[in-house]
Amino acid sequence: IKVLKEADERDSAYWEANAKIPSTDEEQRAYERADSVKAAMDSTKYDVGLMDLLVGGTTGSDHVNVSFPGLLGLYHFNRVEGHALEGSASFRMPDIPLRTLSAMAGYGFNDKRMKWSVAGGVQIFDTPRLQLTAERYATLGFFDQGNRLLGTAGTTLTTLLLKYDLYDYFYQDGWSAGTSYDLLMLFPVSMSVSRNHYLNAVNTTNESIFRRDWIFRENPAINEGSILSVYGEVTVDARDFIDNAGVIRRFGTRNHVPTVGIGWHQADIEGTQWEYLSWTARLNGSFEFGIAGAFAYRLVATGTGGPLATQSLYSLPGSIEYFADSRRFRTLGFREFGGDRRVTAMFTYNLRDWLFRASGLPLLAGSGLGVELFASSGWATMTDATRSLQRVHVSEAKLPFWEVGFGIDNILTLFRIDFAWRLNHFRPGRNFFFGLNAGVLL
């Protein structure tokens, strides 16, 4: 289904003259009410209030709108930067080829380093659209940053209050450029080129509000140097869609569809140069069984044909005590297992609320609480060449690691509690997990 851009430019007289079925009086009154509500909402859509100033908001117009940070989000704290300020702003311009512009600037008062980034995005053609992006940055990175557990505010709170900084950091200075295209409206493809220069970061503070006599663990070293990468990815999306004046809206969930990617990398690490290929494959989907619930799975495999630096190692995604999310292993610590080849398999069965409804117990039967069962497995191994580069100890999981558990969700409509048990690779103090799902964390 295709809707032309001209459709939004026709006035009410045109549609009245060309209506195939005249509107009834009731329909006309409904349209007038909807138009008045829309006009009232449009008149205040880009107003800036006190809450926007505190937590961030959007202003401008439909042609150029600006997203800005709030005062409460400017401050953060970690053991490398110490007290730090950081803010970002972005511009969205839907009517011109240059669709997006964004910029970030920050400064750590202890490491005395500026962090910044500038990015932009261009769109050429409408259907299928061709997108081009570019970014230049000098930032503080951390291990596993593509699968973040705690946000900036959550990390600040745990570091200042609990004397626990979850992440291990390094500096990265580089650039990236990418393109994406929906080939034949059936095969979304993307390609990116990037170059990163990595530098070590060290602890610069032992400050905290509580537990002042405790000492932060040392920030581990990485392999300093540069990596040039070229990466391409393709998937399949055969769903029906509406082309609404160039904006594509697909129907339903993309199910049981593989995504495959391959990368070429040129490393210049600690005076040694080498090239290697990497690959990734993902498959996820779900099966609906009506009131009986739904089964879902997510399979991911990554690997490389050459050694990986410390900061590039593929780790089984772990959690911290009392906090986790559904993309991670609950009973694993951060970087407990890793390697240059990794496979993860995660399965869930969502029973929804029928167990509590069937119980007939007061307060629980109508509570809306749901139950989800889950099982997760991961395998990771590394070559001797990769192991020789590592600056921190990471174990292999040559025998696939397994954990199982269940979660109770929809607690106060926001919270979820998970319980999980290791089935193998036991270690003291980490064989059982009880905690809050991190989806509600800052």
Side-chain angles (χ1 to χ4, degrees), residues 312-327:
S312 303
L313 195 72
Y314 306 136
S315 299
L316 298 187
S319 305
I320 60 177
E321 290 188 57
Y322 309 118
F323 299 108
D325 70 23
S326 301
R327 300 167 299 171

Side-chain angles (χ1 to χ4, degrees), residues 146-169:
N147 191 14
R148 190 165 191 163
L149 177 60
L150 292 180
T152 302
T155 304
T156 297
L157 291 174
T158 60
T159 306
L160 277 175
L161 301 180
L162 304 178
K163 204 68 175 280
Y164 178 75
D165 192 343
L166 169 65
Y167 299 110
D168 295 328
Y169 302 91

Side-chain angles (χ1 to χ4, degrees), residues 75-85 106-115 140 159-160 171 201-208 216:
Y75 170 80
H76 66 268
F77 181 85
N78 58 63
R79 69 186 191 280
V80 169
E81 293 180 286
H83 300 284
L85 296 177
Y107 182 75
F109 292 98
N110 281 58
D111 68 352
K112 295 179 170 53
R113 280 179 175 262
M114 285 291 301
K115 288 84 179 177
L140 182 69
T159 306
L160 277 175
Y171 297 107
V202 298
N203 289 9
T204 63
T205 181
N206 197 50
E207 186 178 353
S208 66
F216 282 121

Side-chain angles (χ1 to χ4, degrees), residues 232-250:
E233 191 171 272
V234 61
T235 187
V236 182
D237 197 335
R239 293 175 295 171
D240 292 335
F241 65 90
I242 287 181
D243 175 5
N244 188 2
V247 177
I248 304 300
R249 292 191 176 95
R250 283 184 161 97

